[in-house]
Amino acid sequence: MQRTETFVRPRFGYIVGDLPSPRFGVAVGAAGVAAVLAAVLVSRYGVRQGILFALGLLLGITLYHARFGFTSAFRQFVAVGQGAGLRAHMLMLAVASVLFAPILASGKGLFGVHVAGSLAPVGLAVLVGAFLFGVGMQLGGACASGTLFSVGGGQTATLFTLAGFIVGSVLGAWHWGFWTQPALNLPALSLATVFGGYFGALIVQLGVIGAITLVTILIERKRRPPQIAPQPSARGLARVIRGTWPLWTGAVVLAVLNAATLLVSGHPWGITSAFALWGSKLAQALGVNVSSWAYWSGSRAASLHASVLADVTSVMDFGIVLGAMIAAALSGTFVLHRHLPPKTVVASLLGGVLMGYGARLAYGCNIGAYFSGVASFSLHGWIWAIAALLGTTVGVRLRPLFGLTVPKQTDAVC
């Protein structure tokens, strides 16, 4: 029988559950794979690629320990008016905006790289893509970052979500030329251009973030939603490794790591372009002429013929999975789910396809378009958030068809 340890979460002042014993075998195995991969990356592609992999590991650890959700935050807000998750998003966006502004203004990063934000056109592609993504993440049970850290945490259902994500990303890359035609979209717009530089844009953006925060508080007071369920956690410094971090901690750490990614790679954190690359490489190996697609023309063409280890996003994605696996193992929560209801499998696949397709249309996912887009002062990041919230309202209504739960006003906790 596996030994368990009981811990108290001081904020609530009572025992919230048993924290399982660490899975040292899984942790050592994941750490060993990470060490080998880091060595290969540094030897073949340089220190910069190794640092980006390390940032991926830290992102995976942070996402897992903070259980930092985009899917759950949107669902809780839409279903019962619980805004704690969205307020954590606003804190993350505020800190990231403060860090991004001087970096983007200077245009210079580390290793001599030129820095550029995640700017994208505004139009039908973003609206449709983000809406589909919003629907998909409620069916798939996770967003892009959530899929990766859930896979690392041993949640088998998200393997189907990831498979669907890759398929949808390839389909989106195939249709890229249609959705991105100028007739359907306006040029990219930076708030820095509109408000006379990054300082002006930062002031305006912080004002918008503050207003959204206030709205979530007012809605909560009116709807009186269930509180977010507390998670088992260790006390003191042990909490860094064992148990759940506060949402605000996850928000701040993710913002700092995204700024570090911008400095090292020259562009902000992204996730789903790697899914399109992996799927397109597989399709190419099967005889599909993906190089003729508009998506794989220009600067992206070389990626099809290079190793995935040369791709920054792929390397960071691998780091997220391994980092989450190490975190889950040390927390004792790494458990493979072997019995999945057929409806859950179908929902996971369908949700993944919708998210993959939507992410390509919308120039990114909850990370590349929403988090990194807003932090880069791109208007499309805010439009993505609005459209994804609308998609969430549809996705929440569809969840019961697949046997998935939805928070209710009468629940004790979300």
Side-chain angles (χ1 to χ4, degrees):
M1 179 181 295
Q2 189 179 35
R3 181 176 61 86
T4 60
E5 305 167 10
T6 300
F7 293 94
V8 175
R9 184 164 181 159
R11 184 162 69 91
F12 289 88
Y14 57 86
I15 295 174
V16 296
D18 292 330
L19 203 60
S21 299
R23 302 284 300 274
F24 288 116
V26 175
V28 170
V33 172
V36 171
L37 184 53
V40 171
L41 288 169
V42 171
S43 64
R44 293 186 181 181
Y45 303 101
V47 174
R48 176 171 167 265
Q49 200 77 335
I51 292 175
L52 289 166
F53 175 66
L55 288 173
L57 287 170
L58 293 174
L59 285 165
I61 291 169
T62 303
L63 286 165
Y64 189 85
H65 276 304
R67 307 295 198 275
F68 201 90
F70 292 83
T71 302
S72 59
F74 278 36
R75 179 168 63 247
Q76 289 168 354
F77 184 71
V78 166
V80 295
Q82 171 55 264
L86 284 186
R87 287 194 293 276
H89 292 185
M90 293 305 108
L91 174 60
M92 177 184 70
L93 293 173
V95 175
S97 297
V98 170
L99 296 173
F100 271 46
I103 298 173
L104 292 173
S106 72
K108 298 178 181 178
L110 303 177
F111 301 98
V113 300
H114 174 72
V115 169
S118 291
L119 299 178
V122 176
L124 187 62
V126 171
L127 290 170
V128 173
F131 179 85
L132 291 176
F133 195 97
V135 176
M137 67 180 176
Q138 297 307 325
L139 298 181
C143 54
S145 54
T147 295
L148 291 180
F149 87 71
S150 295
V151 167
Q155 297 198 30
T156 315
T158 49
L159 286 172
F160 293 99
T161 304
L162 179 58
F165 231 132
I166 294 171
V167 171
S169 295
V170 174
L171 293 174
W174 181 27
H175 296 162
W176 173 261
F178 169 79
W179 287 106
T180 57
Q181 56 184 300
L184 300 178
N185 302 278
L186 298 173
L189 180 62
S190 169
L191 299 184
T193 302
V194 177
F195 296 104
Y198 284 102
F199 179 76
L202 177 61
I203 297 302
V204 171
Q205 184 139 290
L206 291 178
V208 172
I209 289 171
I212 293 172
T213 301
L214 178 60
V215 168
T216 66
I217 293 172
L218 294 175
I219 289 175
E220 271 193 19
R221 289 179 178 176
K222 181 178 180 180
R223 297 187 65 180
R224 297 183 180 278
Q227 296 300 306
I228 296 177
Q231 299 291 324
S233 181
R235 290 177 290 181
L237 290 176
R239 191 174 184 179
V240 175
I241 299 175
R242 301 276 288 152
T244 307
W245 299 355
L247 275 176
W248 70 265
T249 303
V252 172
V253 175
L254 289 175
V256 171
L257 291 174
N258 199 348
T261 300
L262 176 63
L263 280 170
V264 176
S265 71
H267 57 80
W269 179 25
I271 288 180
T272 55
S273 65
F275 299 164
L277 176 63
W278 304 345
S280 295
K281 277 180 168 291
L282 177 59
Q284 185 174 246
L286 295 174
V288 180
N289 185 21
V290 298
S291 59
S292 65
W293 300 350
Y295 182 83
W296 291 113
S297 62
S299 60
R300 294 192 187 94
S303 300
L304 281 174
H305 307 288
S307 166
V308 293
L309 296 183
D311 177 57
V312 167
T313 306
S314 295
V315 165
M316 293 189 69
D317 284 359
F318 298 152
I320 291 170
V321 173
L322 289 169
M325 187 175 294
I326 293 169
L330 292 178
S331 293
T333 53
F334 180 88
V335 178
L336 294 175
H337 300 167
R338 295 179 175 83
H339 303 290
L340 298 174
K343 284 186 176 181
T344 299
V345 173
V346 173
S348 297
L349 285 169
L350 177 59
V353 171
L354 289 173
M355 285 190 287
Y357 193 82
R360 292 281 54 76
L361 269 58
Y363 300 91
C365 59
N366 57 295
I367 299 300
Y370 174 39
F371 181 12
S372 293
V374 170
S376 299
F377 304 95
S378 178
L379 180 61
H380 95 285
W382 288 112
I383 292 176
W384 189 99
I386 295 169
L389 269 174
L390 293 174
T392 294
T393 61
V394 175
V396 164
R397 293 178 180 273
L398 294 176
R399 281 176 63 87
L401 299 178
F402 298 91
L404 304 173
T405 59
V406 177
K408 297 181 178 61
Q409 215 76 37
T410 55
D411 291 341
V413 292
C414 282

